[in-house]
């Protein structure tokens, strides 16, 4: 009798482990960032949505849209790969249509939006996003004010694959030319850039917070032991797989994205909505 009970316990433990490991429901992950460019008592909530890859959550993205709305964002950041070159763009368009008017939305291209291998996917993505009020940033920065807080929002386009073997150098030169002189001394500044691994480039730019994607969370995670097994353009055991990274001159939040595939499962790595709460530590002017 004891052996039979032990089998059931073992079976239940295995089922529970697999359920937790392979869970692909949406989660909300929150990170806290502080800055003396905001006064004590001031705060800003940013929702980061990256790497949707044309995946849908509910009819017309209803599940995802409602979860984003529930976070009451002040700003929505879309750092690329909302589309997928192998899927219909409609899932991405449904999402931004449903989020229109919720909060200002800012978008930069990821490699899937800028890859010119499939005109159907690429077609007029920027124009469609703009038609729903999304601000598309193309190696530029803009000023805005939210909740009485002055902000600078910058965005870097994803590097074209036609740069071939020297795209890193050309892309970094373009980034520096476009944004290194951005005036950010007084206003809190946020940079959207799809590539999580280009940390040295971001360190050379004058931004307080960088928001990225591209890594898919390293695909396979082991909590407390391994943050990611493999990420595009970083390979195995990526240094920047997902989460909050605190660098000397800026904070970097990398979203783990949304796409889920049975053929390439996410392990201990559920699709995530990222919330960044920015709070002030500065004295009133």
């Amino acid at each position: 009798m004891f052996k039979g009970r032990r089998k059931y316990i073992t079976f239940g433990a295995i089922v529970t482990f697999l359920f937790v490991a392979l869970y692909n429901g949406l989660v909300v992950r929150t990170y806290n960032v502080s800055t003396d460019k905001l006064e004590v008592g001031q705060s800003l909530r940013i929702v980061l949505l990256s790497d949707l890859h044309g995946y849908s959550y509910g009819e017309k993205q209803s599940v995802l849209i409602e979860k984003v709305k529930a976070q009451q964002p002040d700003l929505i950041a879309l750092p690329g790969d909302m589309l997928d070159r192998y899927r219909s763009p409609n899932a991405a368009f449904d999402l931004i249509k449903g989020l229109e008017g919720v909060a200002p939305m800012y978008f930069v291209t990821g490699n899937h939006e800028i890859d010119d291998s499939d005109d159907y996917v690429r077609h007029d993505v920027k124009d469609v996003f703009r038609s729903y009020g999304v601000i598309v940033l193309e190696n530029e920065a803009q000023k805005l004010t939210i909740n009485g807080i002055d902000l600078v929002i910058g965005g870097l386009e994803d590097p074209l694959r036609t740069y071939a073997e020297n795209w890193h150098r050309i892309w970094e030169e373009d980034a520096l030319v476009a944004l290194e002189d951005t005036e950010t001394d007084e206003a809190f500044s946020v940079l959207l850039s799809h590539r999580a691994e280009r940390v040295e480039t971001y360190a050379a730019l004058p931004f307080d917070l960088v928001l990225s994607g591209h890594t898919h969370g390293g695909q396979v995670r082991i909590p407390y032991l391994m943050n990611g097994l493999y990420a595009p353009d970083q390979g195995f055991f990526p240094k920047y797989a997902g989460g909050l990274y605190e660098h000397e001159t800026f904070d970097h939040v990398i979203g783990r994205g949304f796409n889920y595939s049975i053929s390439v499962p996410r392990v201990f790595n559920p699709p995530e909505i990222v919330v960044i709460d920015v709070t002030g530590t500065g004295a009133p002017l």
Side-chain angles (χ1 to χ4, degrees):
M1 184 174 180
F2 178 74
K3 288 184 178 180
R5 183 183 301 172
R6 186 166 61 184
K7 287 182 180 178
Y8 283 117
I9 292 174
T10 301
F11 177 76
I14 291 172
V15 170
T16 301
F17 175 83
L18 291 175
F19 175 80
V20 175
L22 300 177
Y23 177 72
N24 67 337
L26 287 170
V27 301
V28 177
R29 207 175 303 273
T30 302
Y31 301 104
N32 296 300
V33 172
S34 61
T35 175
D36 60 7
K37 291 184 178 179
L38 274 64
E39 299 175 10
V40 172
Q42 287 187 315
S43 64
L44 177 75
R45 170 162 283 194
I46 303 171
V47 165
L48 185 161
L49 306 174
S50 71
D51 298 275
L52 182 70
H53 282 282
Y55 199 81
S56 292
Y57 289 86
E59 181 69 20
K60 301 279 187 187
Q61 296 285 20
S62 57
V63 174
L64 179 52
I65 290 167
E66 288 308 309
K67 280 187 174 292
V68 172
K69 287 181 177 179
Q71 307 314 309
Q72 298 182 311
D74 298 307
L75 181 72
I76 297 174
L78 308 168
D81 278 7
M82 304 304 289
L83 277 70
D84 189 290
R85 69 175 67 91
Y86 302 116
R87 296 191 181 105
S88 165
N90 292 334
F93 297 159
D94 287 339
L95 177 61
I96 60 170
K97 180 180 180 181
L99 292 176
E100 184 179 15
V102 173
M105 289 188 281
Y106 285 79
F107 167 76
V108 294
T109 52
N111 51 293
H112 276 254
E113 284 101 4
I114 209 164
D115 192 314
D116 60 4
S117 62
D118 189 337
D119 287 337
Y120 169 70
V121 172
R122 224 174 71 104
H123 66 302
D124 56 354
V125 54
K126 291 180 181 178
D127 289 339
V128 174
F129 274 38
R130 288 185 179 109
S131 73
Y132 292 114
V134 178
I135 306 300
V136 178
L137 296 170
E138 301 172 298
N139 291 354
E140 61 185 313
Q142 296 186 4
K143 296 180 180 180
L144 72 156
T145 301
I146 297 177
N147 298 340
I149 299 169
D150 292 330
L151 302 172
V152 174
I153 309 294
L156 290 174
E157 290 241 80
D158 194 76
L160 291 172
R161 292 190 181 277
T162 51
Y163 285 172
E165 71 278 358
N166 63 345
W167 72 261
H168 300 85
R169 178 180 59 80
I170 298 173
W171 180 78
E172 182 172 27
E173 290 175 355
D174 288 348
L176 293 175
V177 168
L179 293 176
E180 68 177 342
D181 293 328
T182 303
E183 181 55 59
T184 63
D185 290 342
E186 302 296 331
F188 185 73
S189 55
V190 181
L191 176 68
L192 276 60
S193 182
H194 184 63
R195 306 275 175 156
E197 75 278 5
R198 306 309 299 166
V199 171
E200 291 184 3
T201 302
Y202 306 144
L205 297 173
F207 289 87
D208 302 304
L209 175 65
V210 178
L211 306 178
S212 302
H214 194 50
T215 68
H216 302 178
Q219 204 66 42
V220 175
R221 302 177 65 232
I222 301 177
Y224 307 109
L225 294 177
M226 182 180 71
N227 193 32
L229 176 63
Y230 182 88
D233 294 293
Q234 294 187 71
F236 286 100
F237 307 111
K239 186 175 182 179
Y240 305 104
L244 170 63
Y245 299 82
E246 297 176 336
H247 299 284
E248 184 176 352
T249 59
F250 69 99
D251 292 315
H252 193 185
V253 177
I254 301 168
R256 296 185 173 95
F258 293 93
N259 190 32
Y260 185 89
S261 171
I262 297 298
S263 60
V264 187
R266 299 167 66 113
V267 179
F268 290 113
N269 183 28
E272 65 177 26
I273 296 168
V274 178
V275 175
I276 303 116
D277 283 328
V278 182
T279 56
T281 61
L285 297 177

